[in-house]
């Protein structure tokens, strides 16, 4: 009865309109915001003046996209074109996170270039929230990368083109192009040989 009164396609139109209105409401706050959509409702947007977003990206609800200007670095987040960030994605930079084109994330993916304090007594003697935020390095993610559900990409990591990161993996080291990594910490489980890569380029 209800689906007769309010058919699903009307609901989808309503959601589409709502998402575009919301995106229009926030887009001017960004350093650059192309023809992309932030679906209603993100969890937190912060430091948008340090965030560049290209065209054709979709950010599903629950997005946390934060660039913290805490002094040591001028933060930057750069996202290319045509990526899909599934629900609950958390991208946080105090330093630099650069993402190429055609990224696909699963749900609840974390990409962070920072942490609360260092691994030393001085840090541990204060509550985590009060520790100075530090970055061990920038994150670079290449083109056509797929990050499975619940993946964490930690500071200082470069992920090459065409990489697949298995569900629930924690990426702590660089990942070469055209490989599959999985586990915690993520290790290579499959890869194209370099001659195969060269042949196809
Ligand atoms: C990474 C993935 C694509 C690999 O698929 P595949 O190429 O078929 O790989 P295989 O199943 O042959 O696994 C290769 C090895 O890696 C291990 N492995 C695969 N995925 C793993 C994961 N997420 N965590 C830990 N180990 C994993 C396998 O156990 C296997 O190890 P073994 O050789 O010792 O048995 C897949 O396992 C995966 O995690 N997909 C993500 C799914 C997802 O998040 N979807 C959300 C929608 S975006």
């Amino acid at each position: 009865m209800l689906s007769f009164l309010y058919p699903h396609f009307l609901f989808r139109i309503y959601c589409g309109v709502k998402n575009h209105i919301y995106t229009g409401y926030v887009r001017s706050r960004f350093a650059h915001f192309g023809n992309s959509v932030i679906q209603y409702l993100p969890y937190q947007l912060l430091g948008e003046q340090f965030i560049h977003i290209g065209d054709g990206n979709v950010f599903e609800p629950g997005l946390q996209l934060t660039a913290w200007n805490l002094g040591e670095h001028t933060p930057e987040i750069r996202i290319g074109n045509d990526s899909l960030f599934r629900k609950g994605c958390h991208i946080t930079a105090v330093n630099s996170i650069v993402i190429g084109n055609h990224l696909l994330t699963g749900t609840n993916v974390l990409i962070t270039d920072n942490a609360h304090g260092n691994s030393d007594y001085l840090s541990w003697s204060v509550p985590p929230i009060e520790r100075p935020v530090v970055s061990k390095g920038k994150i670079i993610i290449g083109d056509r990368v797929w990050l499975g559900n619940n993946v964490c990409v930690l500071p200082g990591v470069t992920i090459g083109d065409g990489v697949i990161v298995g569900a629930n993996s924690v990426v702590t080291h660089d990942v070469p192009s055209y490989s599959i990594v999985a586990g915690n910490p993520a290790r290579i489980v499959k890869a194209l040989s370099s001659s195969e890569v060269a042949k196809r380029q």
Side-chain angles (χ1 to χ4, degrees), residues 21-39:
I21 289 174
Y22 181 76
T23 302
Y25 172 64
V26 295
R27 61 180 307 133
S28 63
R29 308 205 305 237
F30 286 80
H32 173 76
F33 198 98
N35 188 17
S36 294
V37 177
I38 296 180
Q39 294 186 343

Side-chain angles (χ1 to χ4, degrees), residues 25-69:
Y25 172 64
V26 295
R27 61 180 307 133
S28 63
R29 308 205 305 237
F30 286 80
H32 173 76
F33 198 98
N35 188 17
S36 294
V37 177
I38 296 180
Q39 294 186 343
Y40 188 80
L41 182 66
Y43 176 64
Q44 186 182 27
L45 302 177
L46 188 139
E48 295 95 323
Q49 68 272 34
F50 304 109
I51 303 177
H52 301 250
I53 293 176
D55 297 323
N57 301 291
V58 175
F59 300 88
E60 289 189 351
L63 170 72
Q64 254 181 295
L65 185 58
T66 55
W68 302 86
N69 189 15

Side-chain angles (χ1 to χ4, degrees), residues 30 32 34 36 50-59 63 65 76-85 89 91 97-103 111 141:
F30 286 80
H32 173 76
S36 294
F50 304 109
I51 303 177
H52 301 250
I53 293 176
D55 297 323
N57 301 291
V58 175
F59 300 88
L63 170 72
L65 185 58
E76 67 162 352
I77 297 177
R78 288 183 181 273
I79 296 173
N81 303 321
D82 302 318
S83 293
L84 174 58
F85 297 82
C89 188
I91 302 172
I97 296 176
V98 176
I99 296 173
N101 303 316
H102 299 283
L103 171 69
I111 302 171
I141 297 179

